[in-house]
Amino acid sequence: MPVSDLIIRARRVVLPNEVAPRSIHISDGRIVHVGEYNDVAAEGELVDVGDDSVVMPGLVDTHVHVNSPGRTEWEGFHSATLAAAAGGVTTLVDMPLNSIPATTTLAAFKTKLEQARDDCFIDVGFWGGVVPGNTGELAPMFAAGVVGFKCFLVPSGVDEFAHVTEDNLREALPELSRLGALLIVHAELPGPIKGDGSSSSDYRTFLESRPRAAENEAIELMIRLSREFETRVHIVHLSSAEAIPMLREAQADGVKISAETCPHYLHFAAETIAAGATEFKCCPPIREHENREQLWAGLANGTIDLIVSDHSPCPGEMKLRESGDFMKAWGGIASLQLRLPVIWTEARHRGFSLTDLARWLCTNPARQVSFAPRKGSIATGADADLVIWNPDAQFTVAASSLHHRHKLTPYAGEALNGLVQKTFLRGRKIYDGSHFAEPPLGHMLLREH
Ligand SMILES: [Zn+2]
């Protein structure tokens, strides 16, 4: 048996295909052996996890807006990665926009790496961006380690990150295919979107301004382009469940297209969002109860294969809580710390298992960005990134318990199941339920060639 410096054992360890009693042997930050529960060598510190708790791979969140440099007052690597660690997340991937500069050139990527280095409590990877005219920057950014590229088909909300048209995509896609790079797409088309410049504190008005058609038409376009250019395409934050059948059909047909959805689409429903409650605003919007159930069905049948936070915070005043104007408020929901309990609360009463949960929150996101098998599963050779949590413990979300910079969140006051107790990053305990390990131990994760 390999020498270990730490052994964590539990009656319930979430493995790729089962939950079983196991001992996890860790050396130099890696899992060197996954043995039977009683297979405990003499050497090494032993952590005995109580019977109430489970050990799962550390969460991987591939859709996080850290907004730094340039809009660090919106979030920042320090605060975002503290919140992540407290939520059992051990790897996040930062979005290329809302930072200034946006990550759309090699120089901007280097600036971001400098900003993030030594300030991250968990491991952090990076997306680059596709904007009109930057095709020549894609290969250098990819060689430097971005995991793939994001584009918008509608205005992104910030001037530094322009959206692309089909013509722009026809220029970028051959290059992405040549590189073998994944394109992730904010899939709403401008055509069906209404209400520009208007005001309303009524959620229904906002919802109708961003109809399912905007998503459906965008996804239709991306299926067509992915098929034509053989580019790997991933639809971010899918909200319109109407698009699931065409995604399913395209996947069955061999089109390399995948999709994610987010906790807010799986937990909330439009019918219960109060007038003026702009903390619920995001784009595409949270839709009706019936749509939510269809998204769960899409997860069940595998058309949607991962769930990410789309943590997109801003200073509280940008949410315009005083006027409650849904049309003008910043769109984005802060939930980096809460993805595990939100999804578990919803998943358990629909009959899903802990292995389903780990697949959606850990394994598939790690695969999406080529960090698997090093990240996202408990297996020999993987990084010892682990979360110990109690799936039965219930708690009420208090804004004061959130570690991200701005505490306004639609989850405040929600009763959730699943309490994160300890988080380990490469075998080091970085969170123990109240304290964080200092100094930050997170690495910059560059795509491996
Ligand atoms: Zn986003």
Side-chain angles (χ1 to χ4, degrees):
M1 189 180 306
V3 178
S4 55
D5 38 52
L6 173 67
I7 301 167
I8 297 174
R9 71 168 176 177
R11 296 285 175 193
R12 288 186 288 169
V13 174
V14 185
L15 300 164
N17 295 307
E18 60 176 335
V19 178
R22 287 288 186 273
S23 59
I24 304 164
H25 299 236
I26 296 162
S27 178
D28 279 338
R30 295 247 176 163
I31 298 171
V32 291
H33 176 62
V34 181
E36 296 301 316
Y37 182 79
N38 288 323
D39 175 8
V40 183
E43 81 274 18
E45 182 197 348
L46 177 66
V47 174
D48 246 320
V49 174
D51 290 352
D52 291 342
S53 299
V54 303
V55 181
M56 203 167 84
L59 275 66
V60 177
D61 194 339
T62 55
H63 193 149
V64 179
H65 296 267
V66 179
N67 305 331
S68 187
R71 287 195 181 87
T72 308
E73 72 277 14
W74 291 21
E75 185 59 278
F77 285 99
H78 193 92
S79 52
T81 57
L82 280 177
V89 182
T90 48
T91 299
L92 71 75
V93 184
D94 174 54
M95 280 291 161
L97 72 156
N98 300 351
S99 58
I100 304 173
T103 317
T104 54
T105 64
L106 178 61
F109 179 41
K110 287 181 173 166
T111 303
K112 183 165 281 193
L113 278 170
E114 282 314 303
Q115 182 77 13
R117 208 180 291 282
D118 303 324
D119 204 19
C120 294
F121 288 84
I122 66 163
D123 287 356
V124 174
F126 303 88
W127 293 103
V130 171
V131 292
N134 82 330
T135 305
E137 293 284 343
L138 303 180
M141 278 193 278
F142 202 52
V146 301
V147 297
F149 298 92
K150 183 180 198 186
C151 72
F152 273 71
L153 303 180
V154 281
S156 71
V158 294
D159 294 338
E160 321 78 48
F161 202 95
H163 71 284
V164 292
T165 61
E166 179 172 345
D167 282 349
N168 299 138
L169 285 172
R170 287 184 171 279
E171 186 187 316
L173 262 53
E175 178 67 348
L176 294 168
S177 296
R178 186 184 71 81
L179 296 170
L182 178 67
L183 177 68
I184 64 172
V185 182
H186 179 120
E188 287 181 292
L189 278 177
I193 295 175
K194 310 181 278 277
D196 225 21
S198 64
S199 280
S200 179
S201 61
D202 176 22
Y203 187 77
R204 174 65 47 182
T205 305
F206 166 63
L207 178 60
E208 286 169 359
S209 77
R210 312 239 5 165
R212 299 179 196 204
E215 285 188 74
N216 302 344
E217 290 174 21
I219 290 167
E220 220 178 294
L221 169 68
M222 292 317 304
I223 290 172
R224 182 157 56 77
L225 291 175
S226 172
R227 194 190 300 270
E228 182 178 339
F229 291 96
E230 296 185 6
T231 312
R232 293 165 56 219
V233 169
H234 176 82
I235 305 300
V236 297
H237 51 49
L238 178 69
S239 171
S240 168
E242 279 176 9
I244 293 173
M246 69 172 129
L247 282 166
R248 189 163 180 73
E249 198 179 311
Q251 289 166 350
D253 225 24
V255 179
K256 290 176 265 182
I257 192 158
S258 56
E260 68 188 30
T261 190
C262 306
H264 33 280
Y265 304 128
L266 296 167
H267 181 66
F268 297 118
E271 292 90 335
T272 54
I273 297 176
T278 51
E279 62 272 25
F280 288 87
K281 179 179 176 180
C282 59
C283 295
I286 295 165
R287 303 189 190 280
E288 299 83 350
H289 176 274
E290 155 277 326
N291 183 80
R292 179 182 76 191
E293 298 312 306
Q294 293 302 318
L295 290 175
W296 276 105
L299 282 160
N301 71 25
T303 310
I304 304 170
D305 63 357
L306 49 126
I307 306 169
V308 291
S309 70
D310 191 12
H311 177 72
S312 185
C314 66
E317 56 275 18
M318 289 178 67
K319 280 297 202 179
L320 308 179
R321 276 303 261 120
E322 270 172 36
S323 66
D325 187 347
F326 278 109
M327 307 306 284
K328 295 200 169 65
W330 174 259
I333 287 180
S335 62
L336 180 53
Q337 193 175 325
L338 298 170
R339 176 164 151 258
L340 173 56
V342 172
I343 296 305
W344 178 237
T345 301
E346 295 294 334
R348 66 177 341 201
H349 80 79
R350 290 178 173 83
F352 294 107
S353 67
L354 289 165
T355 51
D356 293 324
L357 190 75
R359 201 173 65 249
W360 296 326
L361 303 185
C362 314
T363 318
N364 286 347
R367 281 194 184 134
Q368 180 207 17
V369 294
S370 309
F371 290 163
R374 196 178 143 200
K375 301 292 190 186
S377 52
I378 296 176
T380 302
D383 281 357
D385 295 348
L386 303 166
V387 54
I388 299 174
W389 62 287
N390 181 336
D392 297 313
Q394 195 178 73
F395 69 102
T396 301
V397 178
S400 61
S401 69
L402 301 173
H403 294 275
H404 48 80
R405 191 182 303 282
H406 300 288
K407 315 301 181 196
L408 185 65
T409 170
Y411 294 103
E414 292 290 299
L416 300 177
N417 284 106
L419 191 66
V420 173
Q421 295 162 314
K422 291 187 177 74
T423 308
F424 289 79
L425 177 71
R426 281 177 277 100
R428 305 272 294 271
K429 187 165 64 187
I430 57 166
Y431 175 70
D432 69 358
S434 53
H435 295 94
F436 299 93
E438 297 270 4
L441 296 170
H443 288 178
M444 304 291 96
L445 291 184
L446 302 179
R447 187 185 62 86
E448 286 168 26
H449 300 278

